[in-house]
Amino acid sequence: MDLAFKSLNVERVFIVKASLAHTGGKINARALASHGRLDVVARAMLAALSLRTSNRSDTVFCAVLEGPPRPPVTVEVRGWELRYSIKSEEDVGDLLSRLFSGHHVEGAYAWEIGFKELVSELVREFGSKKVVYLHEAGEDISNLSLEGKIALLLGDHKGIDRETEAWIKSLGLRWFSLGPQPYFTEHCISFINYLLDERTRLPRHL
Ligand SMILES: C[S@@+](CC[C@H](N)C(=O)[O-])C[C@H]1O[C@@H](n2cnc3c(N)ncnc32)[C@H](O)[C@@H]1O
């Protein structure tokens, strides 16, 4: 296993814990919701990586799939390695389909590791200040430092289970909130990408 976190390319990491998402078998790319809500994973991947005409070259997206038949499987997709741009849920379905059937997909990897192992590795690499959990009850997102690398943990449509949340707390990771309203996972990712994009823009009124 050779996760990409050590790569100099990586500025942003999004990790989604997908508690029901299927980990193999034949995937119908046009009906991802029927595979343990792989549609949630697909929309999160698009929000994390996809730009109008390309993929984000500084971003890694990981989905920890925890559904049948052989959980867990972590799908890691590296924006700078993908050879084509992903534009639709169907594109993601095709990518997952090829990975599950053992084909090589440049820029996409399937690892047999779970959420805790993945996050522990990330904390070792980034340090605990640069790995944060997004949750409605966290501190205001305006307190999050946008300097340097950042990794964000998110739940799927069911959120993250209490035991795992307690574990996240025990690591000393900070929780940040976009407000009390629960948003879709992919909308949270789009908003964070917007904030991170803004930091590189020139002030509007010079
Ligand atoms: C649809 S929400 C999950 C809602 C789920 N019903 C629950 O009770 O946790 C999906 C994920 O997006 C993130 N999220 C959603 N709204 C958020 C908010 N207002 N602030 C921070 N993170 C949020 C969280 O990581 C959450 O697990």
Side-chain angles (χ1 to χ4, degrees):
M1 183 181 68
D2 196 9
L3 291 156
F5 307 144
K6 290 189 179 72
S7 166
L8 292 178
N9 292 318
V10 180
E11 285 288 318
R12 310 176 187 188
V13 179
F14 295 98
I15 294 185
V16 174
K17 185 174 183 293
S19 54
L20 304 174
H22 289 187
T23 42
K26 202 167 159 45
I27 297 288
N28 179 351
R30 282 163 205 78
L32 292 180
S34 61
H35 299 286
R37 298 302 308 271
L38 273 176
D39 60 318
V40 175
V41 170
R43 287 195 296 274
M45 191 188 297
L46 287 163
L49 291 173
S50 182
L51 291 167
R52 182 70 191 87
T53 55
S54 60
N55 299 311
R56 290 183 180 274
S57 57
D58 61 355
T59 303
V60 176
F61 173 81
C62 292
V64 184
L65 316 180
E66 299 181 331
R70 43 172 188 279
V73 171
T74 291
V75 170
E76 180 197 12
V77 185
R78 304 172 184 174
W80 66 96
E81 280 186 19
L82 275 179
R83 288 286 158 262
Y84 59 96
S85 55
I86 44 169
K87 293 280 171 242
S88 65
E89 287 183 39
E90 209 175 310
D91 287 345
V92 178
D94 287 335
L95 180 151
L96 292 173
S97 213
R98 284 193 283 147
L99 271 187
F100 287 173
S101 51
H103 291 104
H104 174 70
V105 182
E106 204 158 353
Y109 305 82
W111 310 109
E112 286 178 5
I113 60 166
F115 184 78
K116 290 182 181 175
E117 196 180 338
L118 181 70
V119 173
S120 301
E121 180 67 28
L122 191 55
V123 169
R124 264 193 297 278
E125 201 53 44
F126 276 35
S128 57
K129 286 199 171 66
K130 303 306 289 179
V131 181
V132 304
Y133 174 41
L134 288 187
H135 189 280
E136 293 92 309
E139 56 184 298
D140 194 279
I141 195 70
S142 59
N143 295 333
L144 173 65
S145 162
L146 301 176
E147 295 305 311
K149 294 169 182 260
I150 181 103
L152 300 110
L153 317 177
L154 300 101
D156 60 4
H157 59 295
K158 293 170 78 72
I160 289 187
D161 59 278
R162 291 270 165 85
E163 188 274 322
T164 307
E165 284 189 332
W167 178 79
I168 291 172
K169 244 181 200 148
S170 76
L171 293 181
L173 305 186
R174 286 169 80 187
W175 297 25
F176 287 95
S177 170
L178 311 182
Q181 179 72 41
Y183 297 108
F184 290 127
T185 307
E186 71 266 28
H187 294 168
C188 296
I189 293 174
S190 295
F191 182 69
I192 296 294
N193 266 335
Y194 164 77
L195 291 180
L196 294 171
D197 290 346
E198 280 291 287
R199 71 185 171 173
T200 58
R201 270 166 32 107
L202 286 171
R204 280 177 219 176
H205 307 294
L206 275 179

